[in-house]
Amino acid sequence: HEDTVRDPQQSGKKEPESRLLGSGGGEGEKKGHRKVTLPTVSNYTIRDAEDGDNAKQQDSRPETENKLEMVAGKSDGSQQQDWDDAEWGSKPLCDFSNFRANVCEMRGNIRIHPNASSVMYMEPASSKRNELWKLKPYPRKGDELCLSKVTELTVKSSKVAPECTKYHNVPVVVFALTGYTGNLFHDFTDALVPLFTTASEFNGEVQFLITDMAIWWTRKYHVVFKKLSNYPLIDFNKDTDVHCAKHAIVGLHAYMEFTIDPSKAPHNYTMVDFNRFMRRTYELPREAVSALGEIPKAKPRLLIISRQRTRMFLNLPEIIAMAEGLGFEVVVEEANVSSDLSQFSKVVNSVDVMMGVHGAGLTNCVFLPHNATLIQIVPWGGIEGVCRIDFGDPAEQMGLRYKQYSIAVHESSLTDQYPLDHEIFKNPLAFHKGFEFIKETFMDKQNVRLDCNRFKPVLLQTLDLLNQ
């Protein structure tokens, strides 16, 4: 990905980005922690909850007794709803088992107190439940650099709490908007996809409370927020109310990079659903790609995502000429943090094929019509795995066709910096010493001179797909 960028109106200072490849190293296992290595290229280190404040204390009462007490304590709603709520009352308040994100979900008498950074689940005086959890509601579990900027919240069972000053008759979702947001890829993988997964089932009848909120960011994606919620956003860090609700979710459901796991997601949502949601949110006209020949004299449109700082195409005019020679109508656009998404999304939606070198700009594939093709150019450096995880798998799960092209040594600008017999060409994996090192070596200092003869078969195969 590209560097994470804050508000474009600020000084332009860059923040560190996600360490997707990680070193798998880090400090040794600490007392009271369990260290888990993720089954992905990302290799985040996850520290599960300790046997102290972060761990739940199990309710020792029998399940039936717990249910009956919950039902007895309610005075409204149908009997079926009472028993449904009783089921919730017998569950732990939080689920810390997901390696990507911690999520707490509660139904009952809930008080959210921003001033105290706490969410309280109210218990009757006779209850023996005693739970206390601490979490940072941003889906980069285990990434301490990222989470260091996120407000920690306390979720607990309680018999005493401050009086309510604001009531919500709809579910409340509490989540963070800091971390790595400001980079297009992280905007989607860390915020928008998890937010869709968590909140779309409520059909707009949901209230968002956002910690660490950046106004410029919420304005950039205001149409997404309007589509997901019928209510104004609440800035958690600046709010002084005590919010009372019957249903609250703290944290967002998140899985792998830029994907939804339908086996775990509410209502079995998929990335096809998310792709459709984005097209409808931005009112994009094309739902699916038409087969070539269905529209007389229409050429297939190819969008080339250009870059101006790193991983640039050094022979862009040659690439354009080659593609036009094969019958494509070529469009060239640069995607960056300040792009007007309402306009850029329309350009993306108008094309049949989108291609670019690995980077955050490829995230715009969310606006492509169904069955369009994404072509990812992989820079030299043995990073095929992370490229597929970041964009290949998500594209296919969105219902897009996907092509991945790895450049050869002679297509890399690294040949201008190192002799051909250098270790960087003979054994690039030897340079995989953590994401920051990989980023500096293979991303920040590398451009691409595409070999059009070598790349041409990829475009020919793409034309064949468009004929199907």
Side-chain angles (χ1 to χ4, degrees):
H1 323 319
E2 300 174 33
D3 291 340
T4 302
V5 181
R6 291 180 176 174
D7 186 344
Q9 296 177 354
Q10 292 182 2
S11 63
K13 185 169 71 174
K14 297 178 182 177
E15 297 177 358
E17 63 175 315
S18 168
R19 294 166 291 173
L20 286 177
L21 291 176
S23 63
E27 57 187 303
E29 191 170 325
K30 293 183 180 179
K31 185 177 180 181
H33 289 93
R34 185 156 54 90
K35 191 172 177 182
V36 181
T37 301
L38 300 192
T40 72
V41 180
S42 302
N43 258 1
Y44 290 111
T45 299
I46 296 172
R47 293 183 175 87
D48 285 353
E50 293 186 70
D51 292 330
D53 285 348
N54 290 8
K56 66 182 187 300
Q57 297 182 23
Q58 292 285 359
D59 190 340
S60 60
R61 293 174 299 162
E63 184 179 0
T64 304
E65 181 186 346
N66 207 346
K67 285 184 179 180
L68 290 173
E69 185 172 284
M70 288 298 296
V71 173
K74 288 182 62 66
S75 60
D76 60 346
S78 67
Q79 184 178 4
Q80 181 61 51
Q81 184 63 50
D82 286 341
W83 281 98
D84 288 346
D85 287 351
E87 288 281 4
W88 278 94
S90 65
K91 292 181 179 180
L93 300 179
C94 300
D95 181 0
F96 278 28
S97 64
N98 188 327
F99 66 81
R100 182 77 175 197
N102 294 329
V103 179
C104 303
E105 184 164 6
M106 297 150 276
R107 291 179 189 265
N109 183 354
I110 302 151
R111 314 240 175 141
I112 303 170
H113 191 199
N115 266 3
S117 297
S118 65
V119 178
M120 288 160 280
Y121 182 84
M122 302 308 297
E123 293 280 346
S126 59
S127 172
K128 295 179 182 178
R129 182 201 286 263
N130 184 16
E131 292 187 35
L132 188 147
W133 308 76
K134 291 183 181 293
L135 73 157
K136 296 187 175 184
Y138 185 89
R140 284 276 165 190
K141 184 174 175 178
D143 188 331
E144 294 178 1
L145 176 65
C146 172
L147 296 181
S148 65
K149 297 171 281 186
V150 179
T151 299
E152 183 175 72
L153 304 181
T154 299
V155 175
K156 61 183 177 180
S157 56
S158 180
K159 298 182 179 67
V160 293
E163 291 297 316
C164 303
T165 62
K166 195 164 190 175
Y167 293 86
H168 300 279
N169 293 319
V170 298
V172 174
V173 176
V174 184
F175 62 98
L177 273 184
T178 183
Y180 294 132
T181 49
N183 165 288
L184 190 66
F185 177 80
H186 288 287
D187 289 351
F188 279 83
T189 198
D190 294 355
L192 299 180
V193 172
L195 190 58
F196 165 82
T197 308
T198 305
S200 59
E201 65 173 304
F202 303 120
N203 297 313
E205 289 302 300
V206 60
Q207 174 68 62
F208 295 146
L209 270 70
I210 305 176
T211 79
D212 313 291
M213 186 167 87
I215 296 299
W216 73 270
W217 198 95
T218 56
R219 285 175 179 164
K220 179 176 182 178
Y221 295 106
H222 72 279
V223 292
V224 178
F225 286 111
K226 280 187 67 176
K227 194 76 169 178
L228 287 172
S229 173
N230 299 327
Y231 304 93
L233 304 177
I234 297 175
D235 188 336
F236 188 98
N237 296 68
K238 296 181 180 178
D239 192 83
T240 56
D241 280 307
V242 176
H243 299 265
C244 290
K246 295 180 179 179
H247 185 186
I249 302 173
V250 183
L252 299 175
H253 293 292
Y255 312 101
M256 300 293 283
E257 295 286 12
F258 197 24
T259 58
I260 299 172
D261 183 345
S263 69
K264 298 176 182 176
H267 301 281
N268 307 115
Y269 290 129
T270 68
M271 286 299 284
V272 170
D273 297 316
F274 181 75
N275 180 227
R276 185 184 301 117
F277 167 77
M278 292 306 297
R279 290 197 303 265
R280 291 177 179 174
T281 296
Y282 284 88
E283 300 180 343
L284 305 177
R286 295 177 76 216
E287 285 288 320
V289 166
S290 301
L292 292 180
E294 286 188 7
I295 304 174
K297 297 183 179 179
K299 291 183 177 182
R301 282 169 61 84
L302 168 65
L303 170 62
I304 299 176
I305 301 291
S306 67
R307 299 171 60 92
Q308 299 302 317
R309 292 181 298 161
T310 62
R311 284 161 276 159
M312 295 185 292
F313 285 121
L314 297 176
N315 59 333
L316 188 57
E318 183 186 358
I319 298 169
I320 294 171
M322 182 264 292
E324 289 177 341
L326 294 177
F328 284 98
E329 177 187 346
V330 179
V331 180
V332 179
E333 293 282 352
E334 181 186 1
N336 55 52
V337 71
S338 59
S339 295
D340 180 346
L341 275 188
S342 64
Q343 294 302 314
F344 201 88
S345 63
K346 290 178 172 59
V347 174
V348 176
N349 185 250
S350 74
V351 306
D352 306 289
V353 183
M354 186 175 94
M355 65 173 276
V357 181
H358 173 75
L362 296 185
T363 312
N364 288 288
C365 66
V366 296
F367 304 117
L368 286 170
H370 189 74
N371 275 341
T373 302
L374 175 66
I375 302 173
Q376 179 172 201
I377 311 298
V378 181
W380 178 260
I383 59 173
E384 283 77 8
V386 72
C387 289
R388 170 157 275 283
I389 286 174
D390 283 357
F391 297 109
D393 294 342
E396 290 177 342
Q397 291 171 24
M398 268 184 259
L400 305 177
R401 292 151 169 165
Y402 177 70
K403 293 284 184 184
Q404 185 161 303
Y405 176 85
S406 297
I407 71 169
V409 170
H410 71 279
E411 296 173 272
S412 171
S413 67
L414 292 176
T415 57
D416 299 331
Q417 304 170 45
Y418 303 94
L420 290 177
D421 61 353
H422 195 278
E423 186 77 359
I424 202 168
F425 301 123
K426 290 183 175 182
N427 183 22
L429 294 180
F431 292 80
H432 286 211
K433 302 173 182 177
F435 181 76
E436 287 304 317
F437 191 82
I438 291 170
K439 177 178 179 293
E440 181 182 348
T441 306
F442 295 117
M443 296 184 183
D444 293 348
K445 296 180 180 179
Q446 182 172 195
N447 294 314
V448 173
R449 191 177 293 104
L450 210 59
D451 182 334
C452 287
N453 289 328
R454 185 171 180 264
F455 179 71
K456 184 183 292 185
V458 176
L459 288 185
L460 289 173
Q461 292 165 15
T462 302
L463 284 172
D464 287 340
L465 289 175
L466 292 172
N467 276 310
Q468 295 174 11

